[in-house]
Each structure stands twice: as C-alpha cells, then as structure tokens.
Amino acid sequence: MRFVTHLESAIDGTRLDANQLQTVHQDRPLWVRYDLEGIKKHVDRDALAAREATMWRYRELLPLDDQVSPVSLCETITPVINCPQLATDAGVREVWVKDESRLPTGSFKSRGMTMAISMAHFFGVRRVALPSAGNAGGAAAFYAARAGMEAYVFMPEDTPVINQHEAALAGARTFLVNGLINHCGAIVREGAEKMQWFDLSTLKEPYRIEGKKTMGLELAQQFQWKLPDVILYPTGGGTGLIGMWKAFQELTQLGWLDSKRLPKMVSVQSDGCAPIARAYDDGERFATLHENADTIARGIRVPAAVGDFMILDAVRESGGTAIAVPEEQIVSRMQTATRATGIAICPETAACISALDQLSKQGWLSDDQRIVVFNTGAAQKYLEAIEQPLPVIDRHQPLDWEFIENGR
Ligand SMILES: Cc1ncc(COP(=O)(O)O)c(C=O)c1O
C-alpha cells in the first residue's frame, strides 16, 4: 500500500505521474502529494509511538510502497536535547538541539539518501551521480553500497577530508573538482546522457525532501504534537528546511497537531555565502548567485539553490526570517557551543548558534519561546575546523603538573 497520489511541479502546479521515475519540471523541483484523507483513516497518530524507532515509522507519509523493503541502515529517531546553557547565553527561555549526528554517516543527509536511493532502486536505477558539499556525497556512497548500485560523487577540492575519504571508502567513484558545488553539478548534468546515471542532486529528484520531512514529523511527535515556536536551520540547498515545512503542512491537514501554531522557520547562512538571506532582505522570491562563495561550514556553501523560491516561501509563510552570520564567528562558536552542550556541534549548526544570539539581541526572539536548533552533522567530520595543536608530554622527563593543570 502507498498513499502517493501524484507529483506536482513546485513552480506551476503541473501534475506528473508518480508511478515512473521523475526528475524536475521546467528545471524546477517536484512535490510528492499524498491522499491525506486516506492516511487519516488508516493511521492512528497515537499508535505511531509503538512502531520501530526509525524514520520508517512514518511509512504512510513516505513514497515507498510498504511491501517494498527500503535501502536502509537503520535511520534512528534522533534525540532532541534540552540545552539550558545555550538558552542562558542567548537570553531566551528554552533551546533544544535535535542531534542529527546520530544518523548513519553522521549527518541528516542519510534521511534524504535512504529515501532517494530506495526509490531509485525500486525504479530499477543501477547508477547514480551527484555533486556534493560533503555529507550528501558520503551518505549517497553508503546507501548506494547498501543497494549494490554504482555511485559517482563530485566534490569541491576543499571539501572536508573525511567526506572525501568516506565516499571513496564506500566504493563511490569520488572526484575532486577545482570549483564549487555548482561546477560539480554541471559535470553531473553534462554526463547524464553519456554515463547513463541518475542525477541525485539536491531537489533534482522528488524524494530526498520526503526523507528530510521526517525531521519535522519526529519533532512533532517528540513534543507531543505541539511544535516549537522557532526552528533555526542551516541552509544550503534547502531540502531540510523545505522538507520540514512540508511535514508541518501535512500534519496540519491530517489534523494531528494539538496546536495550530506552526514554528517560525529561520534559514541561517554565513555571510561568506548568503544567497537566501540576501534575497530575503531584498524581498525577492528567487535568489541570485553568491559570487566567490566561501565558508568553513561547507554544507551551506551553496551559491545558487534550485529550490530558492521554496526555501523563501517557507520562511515567509511561517513568519520566520533568513539571516547571515559573520563567517569569523563560526569556528569559535563550534567550540563554545560544544562545550556548553556536550554535543559535537558542526560548523553549519555553529552558524545557527550565532544566529540565536544575533536574533535575541535584535529583539526578534522573545523570552517565552521554545527554540529548536538542528545539529545537522557531527563535528568530528570536520577535521579542518576542529584540528588544533595539542600539548605533548615527554615521558622521559619529570612530569610538570602546572603544565598539565593548564593544558599548556
Ligand atoms: C551538516 C550540514 N548542514 C546543513 C546542510 C545544508 O542542507 P540543505 O541542503 O538541506 O540546506 C548540509 C548540506 O550539505 C550539511 O552537510
């Protein structure tokens, strides 16, 4: 059984057949649409908690027929952790971190990839390719390995070294390109015909969003079907933010939420690469390319996003905002936020912690709000950002306890 009715163009509403492999319509993304009335009759919201604690517990709201086994590595429900020190530091009431680093390959990208590769596998795809800022390439490589598919990954040459090697470790043909993710994307597009691969790029197929949507479904369930007031999300291609906003619309239509108030969605970028924040400030629906984009938070180094209008629509519909934070704060925020929480905060999320302070100082946040920040990946995957010289002990010399006490 599956409840998918059709695919719908996000740009002009054209209906497309969901029973065949689809990509984009007029170069813009597709939504997956469901028979929500049917789901409402079939699923008891309160019975979901008794199902297996993975994202597949929301099976009826996902596009894969329930008779088909997903290509899965056990995409566990991620914890949402109260972080009082972050709240105190920002001068707000409650900050929770939803820790996506617990997922296979250490980032939220596995949600999208388990879904996209399961669907591609179902439709008979044997070879996939994608450009990646890092984590998506790693995740795609592992899920492709799981499915027995060939994977081709194209990454900027300065992609975090762990991402480069994890993709190769899992058997993907992994290439470093002297350019940014958009240049890598151009290679995937150019090779489509010659190499006969299926393009798994962000929003170039409809299913990665559906996997990411489960972040929103989980969050709703974890907060007893009352969503938080504000969500801060690091934004690159935007599937995470778009997927969550779609989840909230579907939950509203299903009547599963106990409060009608939806969270304000905050799209966070670095001022080193802020096409969405800039378009938001300029009142535009489409973003322009951010020239010479650079940020240590490589996952959000996306100078042009094919789903720009979907991100901006979600932010505006929710009453949220889009914000760029100073690049130079990111590494120090990783350290302070990790020390304040005990959670290995990735650079993309460190940008969100900066945004928290910035929005609080601007008076955009109020002190009665429950705020959720997504830790989209594990800090340990960013050797370049966490590496620091460590003091060395010569075991042949008498121990210097003052040196040891101070760590230097
Ligand atoms: C750790 C991390 N956070 C955030 C993002 C941005 O994700 P999205 O493409 O959903 O905007 C990425 C994308 O690579 C990422 O790896």
Side-chain angles (χ1 to χ4, degrees):
M1 183 185 291
R2 74 174 194 149
F3 289 91
V4 174
T5 52
H6 62 283
L7 303 176
E8 179 189 305
S9 160
I11 198 77
D12 66 8
T14 302
R15 279 175 84 104
L16 283 97
D17 183 4
N19 294 314
Q20 65 185 70
L21 196 61
Q22 302 276 9
T23 54
V24 286
H25 174 73
Q26 293 183 352
D27 287 332
R28 293 292 189 169
L30 302 176
W31 298 117
V32 181
R33 295 299 185 205
Y34 297 84
D35 168 15
L36 293 170
E37 282 304 314
I39 296 175
K40 208 171 176 170
K41 288 192 198 110
H42 186 80
V43 183
D44 171 8
R45 174 196 86 171
D46 297 327
L48 290 171
R51 295 188 182 178
E52 192 190 20
T54 76
M55 66 173 240
W56 295 97
R57 65 162 46 155
Y58 307 106
R59 198 66 197 247
E60 291 84 353
L61 281 160
L62 295 174
L64 190 69
D65 189 297
D66 68 359
Q67 297 304 306
V68 179
S69 299
V71 179
S72 170
L73 293 163
C74 187
E75 296 69 33
T76 184
I77 301 292
T78 61
V80 58
I81 303 170
N82 194 0
C83 296
Q85 191 60 49
L86 290 184
T88 306
D89 292 348
V92 294
R93 190 189 66 170
E94 259 181 55
V95 177
W96 297 70
V97 171
K98 186 153 168 69
D99 189 12
E100 297 285 296
S101 71
R102 318 288 180 100
L103 286 160
T105 74
S107 89
F108 79 120
K109 293 284 174 180
S110 51
R111 294 183 188 265
M113 285 304 166
T114 182
M115 199 67 254
I117 296 224
S118 293
M119 293 307 290
H121 190 252
F122 173 75
F123 285 119
V125 169
R126 305 294 316 141
R127 179 183 271 190
V128 294
L130 75 161
S132 171
N135 287 316
F142 279 76
Y143 284 95
R146 183 85 175 154
M149 277 182 193
E150 284 183 300
Y152 289 77
V153 178
F154 300 87
M155 296 175 166
E157 61 189 352
D158 56 358
T159 295
V161 69
I162 305 286
N163 293 135
Q164 300 175 21
H165 296 302
E166 68 177 346
L169 170 70
R173 295 203 170 80
T174 307
F175 300 89
L176 301 179
V177 178
N178 56 347
L180 295 178
I181 190 167
N182 45 327
H183 304 114
C184 299
I187 298 173
V188 173
R189 271 197 306 284
E190 201 176 321
E193 209 175 305
K194 187 154 191 59
M195 300 297 291
Q196 290 294 301
W197 55 43
F198 181 67
D199 186 346
L200 272 187
S201 307
T202 299
L203 297 170
K204 294 288 176 74
E205 60 73 59
Y207 300 113
R208 281 174 64 182
I209 295 186
E210 295 304 296
K212 302 278 183 74
K213 191 175 84 175
T214 59
M215 288 187 289
L217 303 176
E218 274 180 36
L219 194 62
Q221 194 179 7
Q222 286 170 315
F223 283 133
Q224 284 77 44
W225 308 103
K226 286 190 204 77
L227 290 166
D229 300 288
V230 179
I231 293 178
L232 279 88
Y233 203 89
T235 308
T239 40
L241 192 145
I242 297 167
M244 252 191 291
W245 189 242
K246 183 172 191 280
F248 301 153
Q249 308 304 312
E250 290 175 357
L251 288 172
T252 303
Q253 283 169 344
L254 284 166
W256 284 6
L257 295 175
D258 285 346
S259 157
K260 291 208 179 343
R261 192 188 30 72
L262 299 186
K264 294 180 195 297
M265 304 298 288
V266 180
S267 164
V268 179
Q269 300 192 306
S270 152
D271 61 8
C273 180
I276 299 298
R278 201 168 51 194
Y280 178 82
D281 286 343
D282 294 346
E284 301 290 342
R285 190 174 183 224
F286 297 94
T288 49
L289 180 95
H290 189 118
E291 299 286 351
N292 305 316
D294 200 14
T295 166
I296 185 96
R298 296 290 195 234
I300 53 175
R301 189 175 56 167
V302 179
V306 62
D308 50 2
F309 65 105
M310 297 157 88
I311 305 169
L312 286 156
D313 287 355
V315 165
R316 290 189 176 116
E317 277 167 30
S318 75
T321 187
I323 180 170
V325 301
E327 174 63 24
E328 57 279 6
Q329 290 182 3
I330 291 180
V331 169
S332 65
R333 285 294 167 166
M334 273 183 88
Q335 289 171 357
T336 52
T338 299
R339 289 166 196 179
T341 59
I343 302 167
I345 300 291
C346 68
E348 293 78 3
T349 300
C352 294
I353 307 293
S354 279
L356 196 59
D357 285 356
Q358 210 164 300
L359 291 171
S360 173
K361 287 202 184 89
Q362 287 169 9
W364 193 86
L365 296 171
S366 55
D367 58 12
D368 57 350
Q369 288 169 323
R370 170 177 280 182
I371 300 166
V372 172
V373 178
F374 275 75
N375 188 38
T376 43
Q380 293 92 329
K381 296 187 82 176
Y382 299 81
L383 194 57
E384 299 81 349
I386 65 174
E387 202 169 29
Q388 50 179 301
L390 299 177
V392 175
I393 291 175
D394 179 352
R395 69 185 172 85
H396 300 296
Q397 299 297 322
L399 289 170
D400 176 346
W401 293 109
E402 202 184 314
F403 169 79
I404 289 176
E405 185 163 35
N406 297 323
R408 65 191 136 80

